[in-house]
Amino acid sequence: QKEVEQNSGPLSVPEGAIASLNCTYSDRGSQSFFWYRQYSGKSPELIMSIYSNGDKEDGRFTAQLNKASQYVSLLIRDSQPSDSATYLCAVNGEYGNKLVFGAGTILRVKS
Amino acid sequence: DGGITQSPKYLFRKEGQNVTLSCEQNLNHDAMYWYRQDPGQGLRLIYYSQIVNDFQKGDIAEGYSVSREKKESFPLTVTSAQKNPTAFYLCASTRRGGGWNEKLFFGSGTQLSVL
């Protein structure tokens, strides 16, 4: 059974701080990794994708991937109250057969 | 504007009743998906279709049925066999069939509750 694990939170950070969200996965052959943001009652929206080891930056967001440790993270710099949401980690298997989602981490940014 | 339209936004089901959730996309995407989301849980795949007139079961297909008669449409029927249907249902699409590495485009979701 392929699994994607996330700390459910809530993770509380002050406005302007760095929020660090973590995700581990069980399928060592996983190739593609995604972070989705979901506001309460809304559908998820893709904010980052990463496919190779290392860091990928896009604006205030940085995704980090370590395949050896089966670990992917999302850093949000200069956190804003509008970043308060649930962040879902999704992982694609070795054969690209489907996405597996984690349960999500609730992030609260306090002004 | 291109996108995915789900309707209704809220749906109530009586015991023993079948209900159908609508999903329409005008993105010209080949693949479409149905996910179920329960509070505090991630998205779980119900059914997916990579091409018209073909679909496959996901992880939790029991109690659900789908059809894909048109590229644009992928309705989901929640049957009376689904004993715990209360959840948030999300329809999604990707440009290509088998496009699990691609960006998932989501509809706005349908909240289904049992009366």
Side-chain angles (χ1 to χ4, degrees):
Chain A
Q1 178 73 14
K2 299 173 186 176
E3 294 183 349
V4 177
E5 300 288 341
Q6 295 181 255
N7 188 323
S8 62
L11 172 66
S12 293
V13 299
E15 184 176 357
I18 296 175
S20 178
L21 306 166
N22 304 314
C23 172
T24 59
Y25 57 94
S26 63
D27 183 359
R28 184 168 290 278
S30 297
Q31 297 293 328
S32 308
F33 308 85
F34 305 88
W35 283 99
Y36 285 82
R37 178 176 62 197
Q38 185 177 26
Y39 294 111
S40 180
K42 304 296 184 182
S43 59
E45 56 177 321
L46 181 67
I47 52 174
M48 289 290 287
S49 60
I50 187 167
Y51 305 101
S52 55
N53 280 331
D55 294 359
K56 179 181 178 182
E57 185 174 322
D58 184 1
R60 295 186 297 112
F61 299 99
T62 299
Q64 300 175 317
L65 175 61
N66 183 327
K67 290 185 177 180
S69 299
Q70 295 175 238
Y71 177 93
V72 58
S73 64
L74 179 70
L75 301 178
I76 306 175
R77 291 182 299 281
D78 188 23
S79 295
Q80 301 297 310
S82 59
D83 294 325
S84 298
T86 297
Y87 289 81
L88 301 171
C89 174
V91 177
N92 193 345
E94 180 176 7
Y95 300 103
N97 53 353
K98 66 179 181 181
L99 274 179
V100 179
F101 284 84
T105 297
I106 298 171
L107 173 66
R108 293 179 181 159
V109 181
K110 298 182 178 181
S111 58
Chain B
D1 289 336
I4 299 177
T5 301
Q6 286 189 243
S7 63
K9 187 173 178 65
Y10 299 98
L11 185 59
F12 298 90
R13 193 192 87 167
K14 296 179 181 178
E15 189 172 344
Q17 184 182 40
N18 292 354
V19 293
T20 298
L21 285 61
S22 171
C23 178
E24 302 279 334
Q25 56 100 356
N26 60 3
L27 299 167
N28 199 31
H29 283 182
D30 288 333
M32 299 185 73
Y33 313 81
W34 274 106
Y35 289 92
R36 168 178 172 148
Q37 186 176 32
D38 294 276
Q41 297 191 31
L43 280 64
R44 292 184 289 168
L45 183 64
I46 305 173
Y47 269 99
Y48 64 100
S49 169
Q50 298 179 334
I51 194 171
V52 175
N53 292 322
D54 188 40
F55 49 83
Q56 287 78 41
K57 293 181 179 180
D59 296 321
I60 55 166
E62 185 175 353
Y64 300 97
S65 66
V66 293
S67 63
R68 186 86 186 275
E69 297 177 359
K70 299 186 300 181
K71 187 175 183 178
E72 301 79 19
S73 179
F74 192 41
L76 173 73
T77 296
V78 183
T79 74
S80 57
Q82 173 49 246
K83 299 306 180 185
N84 184 24
T86 297
F88 188 51
Y89 290 84
L90 287 158
C91 180
S93 70
T94 54
R95 186 169 55 87
R96 295 195 316 271
W100 295 103
N101 288 328
E102 298 181 58
K103 175 181 178 179
L104 273 172
F105 288 78
F106 285 95
S108 57
T110 293
Q111 177 64 51
L112 175 62
S113 303
V114 177
L115 289 175

